[in-house]
Amino acid sequence: MKTFRRILSLCVAVVTLSSCFTTLALTGVVLSNIVPGEKVTLSGHTCGQIADSNQCALLKTDGGETVCIVYEFGTYHDGKRIKDRFVRAGLYRYISDGGAELYAPIFIRKKDYKRLWPLAAELDVNGQAGSGKGEVFI
């Protein structure tokens, strides 16, 4: 009976400890998805130009997520393949074709971060509160 209690206590301790580690790991993953300044590699295809800018567009990633990228396109066209390093920079709000309000994280091309930062700041929904500037809807 004593051995059974020890084994049961050990199993309970292992399950509790592993669930704590799982919770910590999941919390880290969630936080890394929302922390500005995070550096990531994104790949996908452009799916919508933002306003008339040749430097801002929505990107449908290979994983199926839609993000806003600030990138030196040269000549923009939908469906352009992009694979590059980006820095997370804020949150973009837009209206879908169906009229739904959607949000997409903003990413700036790492190589051009200092030069393109002002464009991302204009798109950031948090930067527009009280600025008096209109929002960009597509």
Side-chain angles (χ1 to χ4, degrees):
M1 189 66 158
K2 226 177 195 184
T3 306
F4 177 73
R5 286 184 191 169
R6 286 183 182 168
I7 292 173
L8 183 61
S9 296
L10 181 62
C11 289
V12 168
V14 168
V15 168
T16 303
L17 191 58
S18 69
S19 67
C20 289
F21 285 127
T22 303
T23 302
L24 287 173
L26 289 174
T27 302
V29 168
V30 169
L31 290 176
S32 72
N33 287 334
I34 61 171
V35 175
E38 178 185 7
K39 296 170 183 73
V40 296
T41 299
L42 294 176
S43 62
H45 293 85
T46 57
C47 61
Q49 186 175 10
I50 296 175
D52 293 327
S53 174
N54 279 335
Q55 297 170 320
C56 305
L58 294 175
L59 178 81
K60 186 76 152 186
T61 66
D62 293 339
E65 297 87 16
T66 300
V67 298
C68 173
I69 61 170
V70 181
Y71 186 90
E72 189 62 54
F73 291 103
T75 303
Y76 175 84
H77 61 84
D78 282 348
K80 182 174 185 161
R81 177 82 177 143
I82 302 288
K83 183 175 183 180
D84 213 328
R85 294 282 294 163
F86 290 85
V87 178
R88 174 73 193 272
L91 191 63
Y92 175 66
R93 180 172 63 174
Y94 64 102
I95 305 297
S96 71
D97 293 337
E101 182 178 60
L102 301 173
Y103 294 87
I106 300 170
F107 290 92
I108 304 169
R109 184 178 183 203
K110 184 180 174 197
K111 181 179 177 182
D112 302 320
Y113 182 80
K114 288 182 181 178
R115 188 171 52 80
L116 296 177
W117 171 254
L119 289 172
E122 287 180 23
L123 295 175
D124 188 10
V125 69
N126 295 319
Q128 292 180 359
S131 69
K133 294 182 179 178
E135 295 172 334
V136 178
F137 296 106
I138 62 167

